[in-house]
Amino acid sequence: VMEEAEALKYAMSALKNAQPIGDGIGPMVVGGMMIGTKKEKISHQTVLSKSEYEGRKLLLIKAEGPNATVGRIGEGIEKIFSNNKPDLIIMVDASLKLEGEDSASIAKGFGAAMGGIGTDRFQIEDVATKNNVPILAIVIKQSIHEALTIMTKEIAEQASSVRLEIEKMIKDNTQSNQIVMVVGVGNTLYLTDDSVNDSPTATPVGDRYNIVSGSDGTQYLTIFCDTDFTDDHIYGGKITITRTT
């Protein structure tokens, strides 16, 4: 009980510093797979986008950021099944680790990877069972403190490894022309999500940073990052620029 209370206490720093929390690793992974795709709302604070991977059609689902929400994933998946039944579901979520387990370690299994009171989990497993669709899960282990406070470097750096595991699961368990649903479960606190037809545009300024303008005219500063290597990562949120001249 004291460990949970302390975690909630220190979670306030994530709110004040506009930083994602450990529980957001699932939406972070799937959000990365959504880059460059058109997103649409499928249920309350939940978005869907469509992509492809080696001949498979991907249905990517996560809560809508950057609000602190987990969305209504179960409701959204039920709606998709009524129009576009997938052949496989892959769920990505954070998971509480045991005392002796390493933080940021990855585990794989079967069934809906989702905590909470169980309503969404029931909805997902019910519709999947009725339609004979298998569910595979990938979880990133972390303590309750890590799940509720600012995401650690070790957890964030697992995003690329988790994506490789997703791709391997897709290739091992499906064939070309089949449909795979990939679900990022977790809190999207300060994990931004571009709105439909509202993607910011970037203008290079020198070689160290960009000025990014949203459709509403607000300008943000993005720091330059060399992305020639797969282990490059960008941390932080966005900085609003106020022009004085």
Side-chain angles (χ1 to χ4, degrees):
V1 174
M2 289 304 298
E3 186 178 358
E4 291 183 11
E6 185 174 314
L8 289 170
K9 173 186 174 182
Y10 288 103
M12 295 305 296
S13 61
L15 288 168
K16 291 189 293 184
N17 294 307
Q19 295 290 324
I21 60 176
D23 186 58
I25 185 65
M28 175 184 285
V29 172
V30 176
M33 298 173 70
M34 287 181 168
I35 292 175
T37 65
K38 181 179 179 180
K39 304 167 188 68
E40 58 181 285
K41 281 193 176 183
I42 53 170
S43 61
H44 182 66
Q45 296 182 329
T46 306
V47 293
L48 161 73
S49 76
K50 298 176 182 179
S51 183
E52 289 189 1
Y53 176 72
E54 295 198 0
R56 285 83 161 173
K57 180 180 178 181
L58 302 184
L59 303 176
L60 308 173
I61 302 171
K62 62 182 277 293
E64 184 179 26
N67 298 320
T69 180
V70 294
R72 293 182 183 172
I73 301 293
E75 182 181 315
I77 290 177
E78 283 185 329
K79 187 178 296 184
I80 291 173
F81 264 80
S82 64
N83 300 312
N84 207 355
K85 174 189 167 185
D87 298 286
L88 174 69
I89 299 175
I90 300 175
M91 301 187 69
V92 186
D93 194 9
S95 174
L96 288 179
K97 74 181 187 70
L98 298 175
E99 191 70 25
E101 290 183 306
D102 293 330
S103 291
S105 58
I106 298 173
K108 296 178 286 184
F110 303 91
M114 180 176 287
I117 61 175
T119 304
D120 283 274
R121 184 169 61 249
F122 173 81
Q123 288 177 303
I124 296 166
E125 293 190 332
D126 180 58
V127 72
T129 301
K130 288 178 178 177
N131 290 274
N132 198 30
V133 177
I135 304 176
L136 301 180
I138 304 176
V139 296
I140 301 86
K141 300 291 189 72
Q142 47 194 277
S143 68
I144 183 66
H145 184 274
E146 291 169 324
L148 297 179
T149 57
I150 295 175
M151 186 181 294
T152 65
K153 182 175 182 289
E154 291 74 22
I155 292 173
E157 287 180 341
Q158 286 291 45
S160 56
S161 298
V162 172
R163 182 161 178 173
L164 291 176
E165 290 290 347
I166 292 173
E167 293 172 352
K168 186 175 185 302
M169 282 183 170
I170 292 172
K171 289 187 287 187
D172 291 347
N173 296 278
T174 61
Q175 299 176 349
S176 183
N177 297 320
Q178 288 191 311
I179 301 174
V180 181
M181 179 182 291
V182 184
V183 185
V185 180
N187 195 305
T188 53
L189 176 65
Y190 291 110
L191 291 171
T192 59
D193 178 75
D194 294 338
S195 300
V196 178
N197 300 323
D198 192 30
S199 299
T201 55
T203 303
V205 180
D207 61 352
R208 300 311 304 165
Y209 60 90
N210 290 342
I211 299 296
V212 183
S213 298
S215 62
D216 61 353
T218 304
Q219 293 185 313
Y220 309 106
L221 173 68
T222 57
I223 306 301
F224 173 84
C225 177
D226 184 356
T227 56
D228 289 340
F229 302 95
T230 57
D231 58 351
D232 285 334
H233 293 86
I234 301 173
Y235 299 94
K238 58 190 180 184
I239 305 169
T240 303
I241 300 173
T242 303
R243 291 192 175 276
T244 57
T245 59

